[in-house]
Coordinates of all heavy atoms in Angstrom, one line a residue:
M1 N 3.1 43.6 34.0 CA 1.6 43.7 33.8 C 1.0 42.5 34.4 O 1.4 41.4 34.1 CB 1.3 43.8 32.3 CG -0.1 43.8 32.0 SD -0.5 43.8 30.2 CE 0.1 45.3 29.7
K2 N -0.1 42.7 35.2 CA -0.8 41.5 35.8 C -2.2 41.5 35.2 O -3.0 42.4 35.2 CB -0.8 41.7 37.3 CG -1.5 40.5 38.0 CD -1.4 40.7 39.5 CE -2.2 39.7 40.2 NZ -1.7 38.4 40.3
I3 N -2.5 40.3 34.7 CA -3.8 40.1 34.1 C -4.4 38.7 34.6 O -3.6 37.8 34.7 CB -3.8 40.0 32.5 CG1 -3.3 41.4 32.0 CG2 -5.1 39.6 31.9 CD1 -3.0 41.4 30.5
D4 N -5.6 38.7 35.0 CA -6.2 37.5 35.6 C -6.4 36.4 34.5 O -6.1 35.3 34.8 CB -7.5 37.8 36.3 CG -7.3 38.4 37.6 OD1 -6.2 38.2 38.2 OD2 -8.2 39.1 38.1
S5 N -6.9 36.8 33.4 CA -7.2 35.7 32.4 C -7.1 36.2 30.9 O -7.6 37.3 30.6 CB -8.6 35.2 32.6 OG -9.6 36.2 32.6
I6 N -6.6 35.4 30.1 CA -6.4 35.6 28.7 C -6.9 34.4 27.9 O -6.6 33.3 28.3 CB -5.0 35.9 28.3 CG1 -4.5 37.2 29.0 CG2 -4.8 36.1 26.8 CD1 -3.0 37.5 28.8
A7 N -7.6 34.7 26.8 CA -8.0 33.6 25.9 C -7.2 33.7 24.6 O -7.1 34.8 24.0 CB -9.5 33.6 25.6
I8 N -6.7 32.6 24.1 CA -6.1 32.5 22.8 C -7.0 31.6 22.0 O -7.3 30.5 22.4 CB -4.7 31.9 22.8 CG1 -3.7 32.8 23.6 CG2 -4.1 31.6 21.4 CD1 -2.4 32.2 23.9
I9 N -7.4 32.1 20.8 CA -8.2 31.3 19.9 C -7.4 31.2 18.6 O -7.3 32.2 17.8 CB -9.6 31.8 19.6 CG1 -10.2 32.2 20.9 CG2 -10.4 30.9 18.8 CD1 -11.5 33.1 20.8
E10 N -6.8 30.0 18.3 CA -5.9 29.9 17.2 C -5.9 28.4 16.7 O -5.7 27.5 17.6 CB -4.4 30.3 17.6 CG -3.4 29.9 16.6 CD -3.5 30.6 15.2 OE1 -3.6 31.8 15.1 OE2 -3.6 29.8 14.3
D11 N -6.1 28.2 15.4 CA -6.2 26.8 15.0 C -4.9 26.1 14.7 O -4.8 24.9 14.8 CB -7.1 26.7 13.7 CG -6.5 27.5 12.5 OD1 -6.1 28.7 12.7 OD2 -6.5 27.0 11.4
D12 N -3.9 26.9 14.5 CA -2.6 26.3 14.2 C -1.9 25.9 15.5 O -1.6 26.8 16.4 CB -1.7 27.3 13.4 CG -0.4 26.7 13.0 OD1 0.4 26.3 13.9 OD2 -0.1 26.6 11.8
E13 N -1.6 24.7 15.8 CA -1.1 24.2 17.0 C 0.3 24.9 17.4 O 0.5 25.2 18.5 CB -0.9 22.7 17.0 CG -0.5 22.1 18.4 CD -0.4 20.6 18.4 OE1 -0.9 20.0 17.4 OE2 0.0 20.1 19.4
K14 N 1.1 25.0 16.4 CA 2.5 25.6 16.7 C 2.3 27.1 17.0 O 3.0 27.5 18.0 CB 3.4 25.4 15.4 CG 3.8 24.0 15.2 CD 4.7 23.9 14.0 CE 5.1 22.5 13.7 NZ 6.0 22.4 12.6
V15 N 1.5 27.8 16.4 CA 1.2 29.2 16.7 C 0.6 29.3 18.0 O 1.0 30.2 18.8 CB 0.4 29.9 15.6 CG1 0.0 31.3 16.0 CG2 1.1 29.9 14.2
R16 N -0.4 28.5 18.3 CA -1.0 28.5 19.7 C 0.0 28.3 20.8 O 0.0 29.0 21.7 CB -2.1 27.3 19.7 CG -3.4 27.7 19.9 CD -4.4 26.6 20.1 NE -4.0 25.2 20.1 CZ -4.3 24.4 19.0 NH1 -5.0 24.9 18.0 NH2 -3.9 23.2 19.0
H17 N 0.8 27.3 20.6 CA 1.9 27.0 21.6 C 2.8 28.2 21.7 O 3.2 28.6 22.9 CB 2.6 25.7 21.2 CG 3.7 25.4 22.1 ND1 3.5 24.8 23.3 CD2 5.1 25.5 22.0 CE1 4.7 24.6 23.9 NE2 5.6 25.1 23.2
Y18 N 3.2 28.7 20.6 CA 4.2 29.9 20.7 C 3.5 31.1 21.4 O 4.2 31.7 22.2 CB 4.6 30.3 19.3 CG 5.5 31.5 19.2 CD1 6.9 31.4 19.6 CD2 5.0 32.7 18.9 CE1 7.7 32.5 19.6 CE2 5.9 33.9 18.9 CZ 7.2 33.7 19.2 OH 8.0 34.8 19.3
M19 N 2.3 31.4 21.0 CA 1.6 32.5 21.7 C 1.5 32.3 23.2 O 1.7 33.2 24.0 CB 0.2 32.7 21.1 CG 0.2 33.3 19.7 SD -1.4 33.3 18.9 CE -2.3 34.4 19.9
A20 N 1.1 31.1 23.6 CA 0.9 30.8 25.0 C 2.2 30.9 25.7 O 2.3 31.5 26.8 CB 0.3 29.4 25.2
E21 N 3.3 30.4 25.1 CA 4.6 30.5 25.7 C 5.1 31.9 25.9 O 5.6 32.3 27.0 CB 5.6 29.7 24.8 CG 7.0 29.6 25.3 CD 7.9 28.8 24.4 OE1 8.3 29.4 23.4 OE2 8.1 27.6 24.7
Q22 N 4.9 32.7 24.9 CA 5.3 34.1 25.0 C 4.5 34.9 26.0 O 5.0 35.7 26.7 CB 5.2 34.8 23.6 CG 6.2 34.3 22.6 CD 7.6 34.5 23.1 OE1 8.0 35.5 23.5 NE2 8.4 33.4 23.1
I23 N 3.2 34.6 26.0 CA 2.4 35.3 27.1 C 2.8 35.0 28.4 O 3.0 35.8 29.3 CB 0.9 35.0 26.8 CG1 0.4 35.7 25.6 CG2 0.0 35.4 28.0 CD1 -1.0 35.3 25.1
Q24 N 3.1 33.7 28.7 CA 3.5 33.2 30.0 C 4.8 33.8 30.4 O 5.1 34.1 31.6 CB 3.5 31.7 30.1 CG 2.1 31.2 30.1 CD 2.1 29.6 29.9 OE1 3.0 29.0 29.4 NE2 1.0 29.0 30.4
L25 N 5.7 34.1 29.4 CA 7.0 34.6 29.7 C 6.9 36.2 30.0 O 7.7 36.7 30.7 CB 8.0 34.4 28.6 CG 8.5 33.0 28.4 CD1 9.3 32.8 27.1 CD2 9.3 32.5 29.6
Q26 N 6.0 36.8 29.3 CA 6.0 38.3 29.4 C 4.9 38.9 30.2 O 4.9 40.1 30.5 CB 5.9 38.8 28.0 CG 7.1 38.4 27.1 CD 7.1 38.9 25.7 OE1 6.6 40.0 25.5 NE2 7.5 38.1 24.8
V27 N 3.8 38.1 30.6 CA 2.7 38.7 31.3 C 2.4 37.8 32.5 O 2.5 36.6 32.5 CB 1.4 38.7 30.4 CG1 0.2 39.3 31.1 CG2 1.7 39.5 29.1
D28 N 2.2 38.5 33.6 CA 1.8 37.8 34.8 C 0.3 37.5 34.7 O -0.5 38.3 35.1 CB 2.1 38.7 36.0 CG 1.8 38.0 37.4 OD1 1.6 36.8 37.4 OD2 1.9 38.7 38.4
V29 N 0.0 36.3 34.2 CA -1.4 35.9 34.0 C -1.7 34.7 34.9 O -1.0 33.8 34.9 CB -1.7 35.6 32.5 CG1 -0.9 34.5 32.0 CG2 -3.2 35.4 32.2
K30 N -2.8 34.8 35.5 CA -3.3 33.7 36.4 C -3.8 32.5 35.6 O -3.5 31.4 35.9 CB -4.4 34.1 37.4 CG -3.9 35.0 38.5 CD -5.0 35.4 39.4 CE -4.5 36.3 40.5 NZ -5.7 36.7 41.4
E31 N -4.6 32.8 34.6 CA -5.2 31.8 33.8 C -5.1 32.1 32.3 O -5.6 33.1 31.8 CB -6.7 31.7 34.2 CG -7.4 30.6 33.4 CD -8.9 30.5 33.8 OE1 -9.5 31.5 34.3 OE2 -9.5 29.4 33.6
L32 N -4.5 31.2 31.6 CA -4.4 31.3 30.1 C -5.3 30.2 29.5 O -5.0 29.0 29.7 CB -2.9 31.1 29.7 CG -2.6 31.2 28.2 CD1 -3.1 32.6 27.7 CD2 -1.2 31.0 28.0
R33 N -6.3 30.5 28.8 CA -7.2 29.6 28.2 C -7.0 29.5 26.7 O -6.9 30.6 26.0 CB -8.6 29.9 28.5 CG -8.8 29.9 30.0 CD -10.1 30.5 30.5 NE -11.2 29.6 30.0 CZ -12.5 30.0 30.0 NH1 -12.8 31.3 30.3 NH2 -13.4 29.2 29.6
V34 N -6.8 28.3 26.2 CA -6.4 28.1 24.8 C -7.5 27.3 24.0 O -7.9 26.3 24.5 CB -5.0 27.5 24.7 CG1 -4.6 27.3 23.2 CG2 -4.0 28.3 25.4
F35 N -7.9 27.8 22.9 CA -8.9 27.1 22.1 C -8.5 27.0 20.6 O -7.8 27.9 20.1 CB -10.2 27.9 22.1 CG -10.7 28.2 23.5 CD1 -10.5 29.5 24.1 CD2 -11.4 27.3 24.2 CE1 -10.9 29.7 25.4 CE2 -11.9 27.6 25.5 CZ -11.6 28.8 26.1
A36 N -8.9 25.9 20.0 CA -8.5 25.7 18.6 C -9.5 26.1 17.6 O -9.3 26.2 16.4 CB -8.2 24.2 18.4
D37 N -10.8 26.5 18.1 CA -11.8 27.0 17.2 C -12.7 28.0 17.9 O -12.8 28.0 19.1 CB -12.6 25.8 16.6 CG -13.4 25.1 17.6 OD1 -14.5 25.5 17.9 OD2 -12.9 24.1 18.2
G38 N -13.4 28.7 17.1 CA -14.3 29.8 17.6 C -15.5 29.3 18.3 O -15.9 29.9 19.3
E39 N -16.1 28.3 17.8 CA -17.4 27.8 18.4 C -17.1 27.3 19.8 O -17.9 27.7 20.7 CB -18.0 26.7 17.6 CG -18.5 27.0 16.2 CD -17.5 26.9 15.1 OE1 -16.3 26.7 15.4 OE2 -17.8 27.1 14.0
T40 N -16.1 26.6 20.0 CA -15.8 26.1 21.4 C -15.4 27.3 22.3 O -15.9 27.3 23.4 CB -14.6 25.1 21.3 OG1 -14.9 24.0 20.5 CG2 -14.3 24.6 22.7
A41 N -14.6 28.2 21.8 CA -14.2 29.3 22.6 C -15.4 30.2 23.0 O -15.5 30.5 24.2 CB -13.3 30.2 21.8
L42 N -16.3 30.4 22.1 CA -17.5 31.2 22.4 C -18.3 30.6 23.5 O -18.8 31.3 24.5 CB -18.4 31.5 21.2 CG -17.8 32.5 20.2 CD1 -18.6 32.6 19.0 CD2 -17.6 33.9 20.9
K43 N -18.5 29.3 23.4 CA -19.3 28.6 24.4 C -18.6 28.7 25.8 O -19.3 29.0 26.8 CB -19.5 27.1 24.1 CG -20.4 26.8 22.9 CD -20.5 25.4 22.6 CE -21.2 25.2 21.2 NZ -21.1 23.8 20.7
E44 N -17.3 28.4 25.8 CA -16.6 28.4 27.1 C -16.5 29.9 27.6 O -16.6 30.1 28.9 CB -15.2 27.9 26.8 CG -15.2 26.4 26.5 CD -15.6 25.5 27.6 OE1 -15.3 25.8 28.8 OE2 -16.2 24.5 27.3
L45 N -16.3 30.9 26.8 CA -16.1 32.2 27.2 C -17.5 32.8 27.7 O -17.5 33.7 28.6 CB -15.5 33.1 26.1 CG -14.1 32.7 25.8 CD1 -13.6 33.6 24.6 CD2 -13.1 32.8 27.0
A46 N -18.6 32.3 27.2 CA -19.9 32.8 27.7 C -20.1 32.3 29.1 O -20.7 33.0 29.9 CB -21.0 32.2 26.8
A47 N -19.6 31.1 29.4 CA -19.7 30.5 30.8 C -18.7 31.1 31.7 O -19.0 31.3 32.9 CB -19.6 29.0 30.7
K48 N -17.5 31.5 31.2 CA -16.5 32.0 32.1 C -15.6 33.0 31.3 O -14.7 32.6 30.6 CB -15.6 30.8 32.6 CG -14.6 31.3 33.6 CD -13.8 30.0 34.1 CE -12.8 30.5 35.1 NZ -11.9 29.4 35.5
P49 N -16.0 34.3 31.3 CA -15.3 35.3 30.5 C -13.8 35.5 30.9 O -13.4 35.0 32.0 CB -16.1 36.6 30.8 CG -17.4 36.1 31.4 CD -17.1 34.8 32.1
V50 N -13.1 36.2 30.0 CA -11.7 36.5 30.3 C -11.5 38.0 30.2 O -12.4 38.7 29.8 CB -10.8 35.8 29.2 CG1 -10.8 34.3 29.4 CG2 -11.2 36.2 27.8
E51 N -10.3 38.5 30.5 CA -10.0 39.9 30.5 C -9.6 40.4 29.1 O -9.8 41.5 28.7 CB -9.0 40.2 31.5 CG -9.4 40.2 32.9 CD -8.4 40.7 33.9 OE1 -7.9 41.9 33.7 OE2 -7.9 40.0 34.7
I52 N -8.9 39.5 28.4 CA -8.5 39.8 27.0 C -8.6 38.6 26.1 O -8.3 37.5 26.6 CB -7.0 40.2 27.0 CG1 -6.8 41.5 27.9 CG2 -6.5 40.5 25.6 CD1 -5.3 41.9 28.0
A53 N -9.0 38.8 24.9 CA -9.1 37.7 23.9 C -8.2 38.0 22.7 O -8.3 39.1 22.1 CB -10.6 37.5 23.4
L54 N -7.4 37.1 22.4 CA -6.5 37.2 21.2 C -6.8 36.1 20.3 O -6.9 34.9 20.6 CB -5.0 37.0 21.7 CG -4.5 37.8 22.8 CD1 -3.1 37.3 23.3 CD2 -4.4 39.2 22.4
F55 N -7.1 36.4 19.0 CA -7.3 35.3 18.1 C -7.1 35.7 16.6 O -6.9 36.8 16.2 CB -8.8 34.8 18.2 CG -9.9 35.8 18.1 CD1 -10.4 36.2 16.9 CD2 -10.3 36.4 19.3 CE1 -11.5 37.1 16.9 CE2 -11.4 37.3 19.2 CZ -11.9 37.7 18.0
D56 N -7.0 34.6 15.9 CA -6.7 34.7 14.4 C -8.0 35.0 13.7 O -9.1 34.7 14.1 CB -6.2 33.3 14.0 CG -5.6 33.3 12.6 OD1 -5.5 34.4 12.0 OD2 -5.2 32.2 12.1
I57 N -7.8 35.6 12.5 CA -8.9 36.0 11.7 C -9.4 34.7 10.9 O -10.5 34.6 10.6 CB -8.6 37.2 10.8 CG1 -9.9 37.9 10.4 CG2 -7.9 36.8 9.5 CD1 -9.6 39.3 9.8
N58 N -8.4 33.9 10.6 CA -8.7 32.7 9.8 C -8.8 31.5 10.8 O -7.8 30.9 11.2 CB -7.5 32.4 8.8 CG -7.5 33.4 7.7 OD1 -8.5 33.9 7.2 ND2 -6.3 33.9 7.4
L59 N -10.0 31.1 11.1 CA -10.3 30.0 12.0 C -11.2 29.0 11.2 O -11.9 29.4 10.3 CB -11.0 30.5 13.2 CG -10.2 31.4 14.2 CD1 -11.2 32.0 15.2 CD2 -9.1 30.6 14.8
P60 N -11.1 27.7 11.5 CA -12.0 26.8 10.9 C -13.4 26.9 11.4 O -13.7 27.3 12.5 CB -11.4 25.4 11.4 CG -10.8 25.7 12.7 CD -10.2 27.1 12.6
G61 N -14.3 26.6 10.5 CA -15.7 26.8 10.8 C -16.1 28.2 10.9 O -16.2 28.9 9.9
M62 N -16.3 28.7 12.1 CA -16.6 30.2 12.3 C -15.4 31.0 12.2 O -14.5 30.8 13.0 CB -17.3 30.2 13.7 CG -17.8 31.6 14.1 SD -18.5 31.5 15.7 CE -19.9 32.6 15.5
N63 N -15.3 31.9 11.2 CA -14.0 32.7 11.1 C -13.9 33.7 12.2 O -14.8 34.0 13.0 CB -14.0 33.3 9.7 CG -15.0 34.4 9.5 OD1 -15.3 35.2 10.4 ND2 -15.5 34.5 8.3
G64 N -12.7 34.3 12.3 CA -12.4 35.3 13.3 C -13.3 36.5 13.3 O -13.6 37.1 14.4
I65 N -13.8 36.9 12.2 CA -14.7 38.1 12.1 C -16.0 37.8 12.8 O -16.5 38.5 13.6 CB -14.9 38.5 10.6 CG1 -13.6 39.0 10.0 CG2 -16.0 39.6 10.5 CD1 -13.0 40.2 10.5
D66 N -16.5 36.6 12.5 CA -17.8 36.1 13.1 C -17.6 35.9 14.6 O -18.5 36.2 15.4 CB -18.3 34.9 12.4 CG -18.8 35.2 11.0 OD1 -19.1 36.3 10.7 OD2 -18.8 34.2 10.2
V67 N -16.5 35.4 15.0 CA -16.2 35.2 16.5 C -16.2 36.5 17.1 O -16.7 36.7 18.2 CB -14.9 34.4 16.7 CG1 -14.5 34.4 18.1 CG2 -15.0 33.0 16.1
C68 N -15.5 37.5 16.5 CA -15.4 38.8 17.1 C -16.8 39.5 17.2 O -17.1 40.0 18.3 CB -14.5 39.7 16.1 SG -14.1 41.3 16.8
K69 N -17.6 39.4 16.2 CA -18.9 40.0 16.3 C -19.7 39.3 17.4 O -20.4 40.0 18.2 CB -19.7 39.8 15.0 CG -19.2 40.7 13.9 CD -19.9 40.4 12.6 CE -19.4 41.2 11.4 NZ -20.0 40.9 10.1
A70 N -19.7 38.0 17.5 CA -20.4 37.3 18.6 C -19.9 37.6 19.9 O -20.7 37.9 20.9 CB -20.3 35.8 18.3
L71 N -18.6 37.7 20.1 CA -18.0 38.0 21.4 C -18.4 39.5 21.8 O -18.7 39.7 22.9 CB -16.5 37.8 21.3 CG -15.7 37.8 22.6 CD1 -16.3 36.8 23.6 CD2 -14.2 37.6 22.3
R72 N -18.3 40.3 20.8 CA -18.6 41.8 21.1 C -20.0 42.0 21.4 O -20.4 42.8 22.2 CB -18.2 42.6 19.8 CG -18.4 44.1 20.0 CD -17.7 44.7 21.2 NE -16.2 44.7 21.0 CZ -15.4 44.4 22.0 NH1 -15.8 44.1 23.2 NH2 -14.1 44.3 21.8
A73 N -20.9 41.2 20.9 CA -22.3 41.3 21.1 C -22.7 41.0 22.6 O -23.6 41.6 23.2 CB -23.1 40.4 20.2
D74 N -21.9 40.2 23.2 CA -22.1 39.7 24.6 C -21.1 40.2 25.6 O -21.3 40.0 26.8 CB -22.1 38.2 24.7 CG -23.3 37.6 23.9 OD1 -24.3 38.2 23.8 OD2 -23.1 36.4 23.5
S75 N -20.1 40.9 25.1 CA -19.0 41.3 26.1 C -18.3 42.5 25.7 O -18.2 42.8 24.5 CB -18.0 40.1 26.1 OG -16.8 40.4 26.8
G76 N -17.7 43.2 26.6 CA -16.9 44.4 26.4 C -15.4 44.0 26.5 O -14.5 44.9 26.5
V77 N -15.1 42.7 26.4 CA -13.7 42.3 26.6 C -12.8 42.9 25.4 O -13.3 43.0 24.3 CB -13.6 40.7 26.5 CG1 -14.0 40.2 25.2 CG2 -12.2 40.3 26.8
P78 N -11.6 43.3 25.8 CA -10.7 43.8 24.7 C -10.4 42.6 23.8 O -10.1 41.5 24.2 CB -9.5 44.3 25.5 CG -10.0 44.6 26.8 CD -11.1 43.6 27.1
I79 N -10.5 42.9 22.5 CA -10.2 41.9 21.5 C -9.1 42.3 20.6 O -9.1 43.4 20.0 CB -11.5 41.7 20.6 CG1 -12.6 41.2 21.4 CG2 -11.2 40.7 19.4 CD1 -14.0 41.1 20.7
V80 N -8.1 41.4 20.5 CA -6.9 41.7 19.6 C -7.0 40.6 18.5 O -6.9 39.4 18.9 CB -5.6 41.7 20.3 CG1 -4.4 41.8 19.4 CG2 -5.6 42.7 21.4
M81 N -7.1 41.0 17.3 CA -7.1 40.0 16.2 C -5.7 39.9 15.6 O -5.2 41.0 15.2 CB -8.2 40.4 15.1 CG -9.6 40.3 15.7 SD -10.8 40.7 14.5 CE -10.9 39.2 13.6
L82 N -5.2 38.7 15.4 CA -3.9 38.5 14.9 C -4.1 37.9 13.5 O -4.8 36.9 13.3 CB -3.1 37.6 15.7 CG -3.0 38.0 17.2 CD1 -2.4 36.9 18.0 CD2 -2.2 39.3 17.3
T83 N -3.4 38.5 12.5 CA -3.6 38.0 11.2 C -2.4 38.4 10.3 O -1.7 39.4 10.6 CB -4.9 38.5 10.5 OG1 -5.0 37.9 9.2 CG2 -4.9 40.0 10.4
A84 N -2.1 37.6 9.3 CA -1.1 37.9 8.3 C -1.7 38.9 7.2 O -0.9 39.4 6.4 CB -0.6 36.7 7.6
K85 N -3.0 39.1 7.2 CA -3.6 40.0 6.3 C -3.2 41.4 6.6 O -3.4 41.8 7.7 CB -5.1 39.8 6.3 CG -5.5 38.4 5.8 CD -7.1 38.3 5.7 CE -7.4 37.0 5.2 NZ -8.8 36.9 4.8
T86 N -2.8 42.1 5.5 CA -2.4 43.5 5.7 C -3.2 44.5 4.9 O -3.0 45.7 5.0 CB -0.9 43.7 5.4 OG1 -0.7 43.3 4.1 CG2 0.0 42.9 6.4
D87 N -4.1 44.0 4.1 CA -5.0 44.8 3.3 C -5.8 45.7 4.1 O -6.3 45.3 5.2 CB -5.9 43.9 2.4 CG -6.1 44.4 1.0 OD1 -5.2 45.1 0.5 OD2 -7.1 44.0 0.4
T88 N -5.9 47.0 3.7 CA -6.7 48.0 4.5 C -8.1 47.5 4.7 O -8.7 47.7 5.8 CB -6.7 49.3 3.8 OG1 -5.3 49.7 3.6 CG2 -7.4 50.4 4.6
V89 N -8.7 46.8 3.7 CA -10.1 46.3 3.8 C -10.2 45.3 5.0 O -11.1 45.4 5.7 CB -10.5 45.7 2.5 CG1 -11.9 45.0 2.6 CG2 -10.5 46.8 1.4
D90 N -9.2 44.4 5.1 CA -9.2 43.4 6.1 C -9.1 44.1 7.5 O -9.8 43.7 8.5 CB -8.1 42.4 5.9 CG -8.4 41.6 4.7 OD1 -9.5 41.1 4.5 OD2 -7.4 41.3 4.0
V91 N -8.2 45.1 7.6 CA -8.0 45.8 8.9 C -9.3 46.5 9.3 O -9.8 46.4 10.4 CB -6.9 46.8 8.8 CG1 -6.8 47.6 10.1 CG2 -5.6 46.1 8.6
V92 N -9.9 47.2 8.4 CA -11.2 47.9 8.6 C -12.3 46.9 9.0 O -13.1 47.2 9.9 CB -11.6 48.8 7.4 CG1 -13.0 49.3 7.6 CG2 -10.6 49.9 7.2
L93 N -12.4 45.8 8.3 CA -13.4 44.8 8.6 C -13.2 44.3 10.0 O -14.2 44.1 10.7 CB -13.3 43.6 7.6 CG -14.3 42.5 7.7 CD1 -15.7 43.1 7.6 CD2 -14.1 41.4 6.7
G94 N -12.0 44.0 10.4 CA -11.7 43.6 11.8 C -12.2 44.6 12.8 O -12.8 44.3 13.8
L95 N -11.8 45.9 12.6 CA -12.2 46.9 13.5 C -13.7 47.1 13.5 O -14.3 47.3 14.6 CB -11.5 48.2 13.1 CG -10.0 48.2 13.4 CD1 -9.3 49.4 12.8 CD2 -9.6 48.1 14.8
E96 N -14.4 47.1 12.4 CA -15.8 47.2 12.3 C -16.5 46.1 13.0 O -17.7 46.3 13.4 CB -16.3 47.4 10.9 CG -16.0 48.7 10.2 CD -16.4 48.8 8.8 OE1 -16.7 47.8 8.1 OE2 -16.4 49.9 8.3
S97 N -15.9 44.9 13.0 CA -16.6 43.8 13.7 C -16.4 43.8 15.2 O -17.0 43.0 15.9 CB -16.0 42.5 13.1 OG -14.7 42.3 13.5
G98 N -15.6 44.7 15.7 CA -15.5 44.9 17.1 C -14.1 44.7 17.7 O -14.0 44.8 18.9
A99 N -13.1 44.4 16.9 CA -11.8 44.3 17.4 C -11.2 45.6 17.9 O -11.6 46.7 17.4 CB -10.9 43.7 16.3
D100 N -10.4 45.5 18.9 CA -9.8 46.7 19.4 C -8.4 47.0 18.8 O -7.9 48.0 18.8 CB -9.6 46.6 20.9 CG -10.9 46.5 21.6 OD1 -11.7 47.4 21.5 OD2 -11.2 45.5 22.3

């Protein structure tokens, strides 16, 4: 699979590093952009969009649900939310906020 650009938004440094490493090993991606918080990511992605956004639901400051809503309001980029939450309510909330 060849993808031009992917964004990872994850506050945990170890998880961020692991995700980036796995993507680079499994996907032919030209540009992998990594962010530690939603506010920074949204600013940067508004200026230079990506093809896919992967992010955690639990982010510092602006949580993943709010990031998803903001990103979805300005973009049709596919959004994958990664979380340890398995409650049906959390899954539905993520999908209702615009996650794919």
Side-chain angles (χ1 to χ4, degrees):
M1 174 185 296
K2 184 175 170 75
I3 297 174
D4 283 335
S5 56
I6 297 175
I8 296 172
I9 310 166
E10 170 60 58
D11 62 314
D12 184 300
E13 185 177 353
K14 288 181 183 178
V15 174
R16 241 187 355 256
H17 177 76
Y18 178 78
M19 288 173 65
E21 185 177 79
Q22 291 302 308
I23 288 169
Q24 290 172 334
L25 288 172
Q26 298 180 37
V27 180
D28 183 10
V29 62
K30 288 183 181 178
E31 181 181 23
L32 182 60
R33 299 172 65 198
V34 182
F35 305 97
D37 66 87
E39 291 91 351
T40 303
L42 287 174
K43 288 177 192 171
E44 296 290 326
L45 296 176
K48 187 176 179 187
V50 293
E51 286 186 62
I52 298 173
L54 308 168
F55 54 88
D56 191 4
I57 208 167
N58 294 317
L59 295 169
M62 183 180 221
N63 69 36
I65 297 295
D66 293 335
V67 172
C68 187
K69 288 178 183 177
L71 192 56
R72 182 56 67 224
D74 293 332
S75 170
V77 64
I79 297 171
V80 178
M81 295 180 80
L82 307 170
T83 183
K85 295 185 176 192
T86 58
D87 221 21
T88 303
V89 173
D90 293 316
V91 173
V92 170
L93 183 60
L95 293 171
E96 286 178 346
S97 68
D100 295 301

